[in-house]
Amino acid sequence: MQEENVKDISERFNALAEQWSKHCRSVALSSNINDYLNTSSYHELVKLGTPAIPYIMERYRADNLPWEFVLDEITGLHMIQDRNDFSPPEIKKRWFAWWANQKRAAH
């Protein structure tokens, strides 16, 4: 049963990530972060909660979507102090350091 649940989360995550990616491409010229986040696919990704984090980290490594905001909302770890003034590469580095610590603590 748990394997089925993981498959469901994976499928749901992948479908939502594709929808969000398409939305982000449609607003790619915007410098307003809210244009990227004000969409149902983003909010649904957040609602997946902590079970989605491994999938998020995998996608975060591979693409340039603002996954840091999804992680911020799911975990409550506010690594972004100012949504309008931050360094995406620096925030990404912090999230991967956090993820490495999470994985070490789990083992």
Side-chain angles (χ1 to χ4, degrees):
M1 175 133 168
Q2 187 153 1
E3 188 176 311
E4 205 171 287
N5 191 29
V6 169
K7 185 179 176 194
D8 290 346
I9 290 171
S10 174
E11 288 175 1
R12 181 90 175 114
F13 172 81
N14 286 327
L16 288 168
E18 286 307 311
Q19 290 171 23
W20 191 41
S21 178
K22 184 185 251 185
H23 169 78
C24 288
R25 284 193 306 269
S26 76
V27 296
L29 297 178
S30 175
S31 61
N32 182 345
I33 192 62
N34 292 321
D35 290 341
Y36 295 84
L37 308 182
N38 289 336
T39 183
S40 62
S41 54
Y42 169 81
H43 297 291
E44 290 299 316
L45 283 163
V46 170
K47 284 182 187 176
L48 290 176
T50 55
I53 291 175
Y55 305 108
I56 292 169
M57 298 309 291
E58 192 175 308
R59 286 291 290 256
Y60 197 16
R61 190 176 311 280
D63 67 32
N64 291 320
L65 293 181
W67 289 107
E68 57 269 24
F69 291 97
V70 180
L71 290 165
D72 202 60
E73 288 200 48
I74 289 174
T75 66
L77 299 173
H78 302 293
M79 295 205 192
I80 302 167
Q81 304 304 316
D82 182 348
R83 293 175 89 159
N84 298 310
D85 184 25
F86 69 97
S87 166
E90 177 59 32
I91 298 300
K92 192 171 195 173
K93 192 165 117 180
R94 288 184 204 166
W95 277 115
F96 279 103
W98 171 82
W99 183 238
N101 286 334
Q102 296 299 303
K103 288 172 42 173
R104 272 195 298 277
H107 289 93

